[in-house]
Amino acid sequence: MEITPDPIDEALKPTGLLRLGSFQPKESDGVPGYQEKCSLVLVGNAGPEMWRVFSSSSLDQNDQNPLDNWSRQVLGDLSQVLAQRLGVSVQALFPFDGPPYMPFQGWALRSGTVHPSPIGPMIHEIYGLWHAYRGALLIAAEIKGDAPEQITSPCLPCAEKPCLTTCPVDAFSQAGYDLPACLDLLEEHPNGDCLSASCLARRACPVGRAFIYEPAHARFHMEKFLKSHRP
Ligand code: B12
């Protein structure tokens, strides 16, 4: 069966979430519940809409993982609604279920919408480093007209690569990402720029600057990130 992306976009609209890409998985993509001729749709946030819907929701914001709980509820409900509307099975998968975690970044690369950045997160031509995945929908149908144009990485023409030189503790090097150094800095400066306005290295990237998270959204992620490693 073939479907268009329109009913998916329409169902996502009230959640503030976006369809960030899709592809037809092969068995080797490690998609749980894989079957032939199905599509995996990556769903996530870019821009302020998801944060606005989430932060005005009635879920307990003091819970350990309120955004994960919200994503599970919203995408769980949405997959039931879509399954009914489309008449095919729809299953929601989540990036935070694990370990072992599902390879969301590998899936994002397969969708052809992003490229690896020098500092870890995938980079999007428009949203830059300011997008993340809140889930994926495994739909038992092929999606028509969803192939993205072939784009080269926005990091290729970037000669300066300020993302690699801006971190105050040089957390990004050939050796990879120095998580302890990053966490030490966040812990030592609870009112510092990285904690209150998000990672300085990410903010140094010239791509997608209009999509830099709003202060409340940025702080929420950075505090959760710190707390999950240094409770
Ligand atoms: C564990 C984890 C971490 C750990 C370890 C990260 C690591 N790189 O191992 C820590 C705590 C350090 C971390 C930190 C952050 N993380 Co994190 N993390 C995860 C998590 C939960 C699991 C990663 C994992 O182990 N996956 C399993 C492996 C097997 O799958 P995979 O990652 O897709 O691996 C494939 C790809 O990486 C691919 N690949 C990678 N590079 C390249 C390059 C080429 C050329 C090719 C072909 C393939 C390729 O090959 C792998 C095999 O398929 C994911 C969510 C998820 N489920 O993916 C988020 C995730 C990767 N994190 C994310 C984010 C945003 C962050 C932070 C920015 C959080 C913050 N501080 O605000 C930092 C940034 C750290 C950094 N600079 O890298 C986002 C990235 C979004 C994006 N735009 O890409 C994710 C996807 C979560 C989400 N909900 O969207 N994270």
Side-chain angles (χ1 to χ4, degrees), residues 156-171:
L156 263 184
C158 180
E160 283 188 6
K161 303 219 183 321
C163 60
L164 290 174
T165 51
T166 309
C167 173
V169 290
D170 279 330

Side-chain angles (χ1 to χ4, degrees), residues 89-224:
S89 89
V90 181
Q91 190 197 340
L93 306 170
F94 298 99
F96 42 81
D97 274 344
Y101 295 107
M102 289 176 228
F104 268 72
Q105 290 192 298
W107 293 345
L109 286 170
R110 282 276 282 125
S111 78
T113 49
V114 291
H115 291 87
S117 76
I119 59 168
M122 296 289 150
I123 190 159
H124 186 277
E125 191 188 23
I126 296 166
Y127 309 133
L129 300 169
W130 303 99
H131 69 282
Y133 303 97
R134 298 312 321 160
L137 300 171
L138 180 63
I139 305 182
E142 292 178 62
I143 301 178
K144 256 199 316 220
D146 196 31
E149 278 176 38
Q150 285 282 346
I151 37 163
T152 51
S153 168
C155 300
L156 263 184
C158 180
E160 283 188 6
K161 303 219 183 321
C163 60
L164 290 174
T165 51
T166 309
C167 173
V169 290
D170 279 330
F172 303 101
S173 69
Q174 300 280 13
Y177 169 49
D178 188 346
L179 177 63
C182 174
L183 295 171
D184 286 348
L185 179 80
L186 295 175
E187 212 166 28
E188 283 158 21
H189 299 90
N191 292 312
D193 209 20
C194 299
L195 198 67
S196 55
S198 196
C199 169
L200 268 169
R202 268 171 105 189
R203 278 191 285 142
C205 174
V207 185
R209 299 192 60 83
F211 294 89
I212 291 178
Y213 293 165
E214 289 176 348
H217 186 184
R219 189 168 187 106
F220 171 87
H221 280 304
M222 296 309 283
E223 280 180 345
K224 289 282 168 223

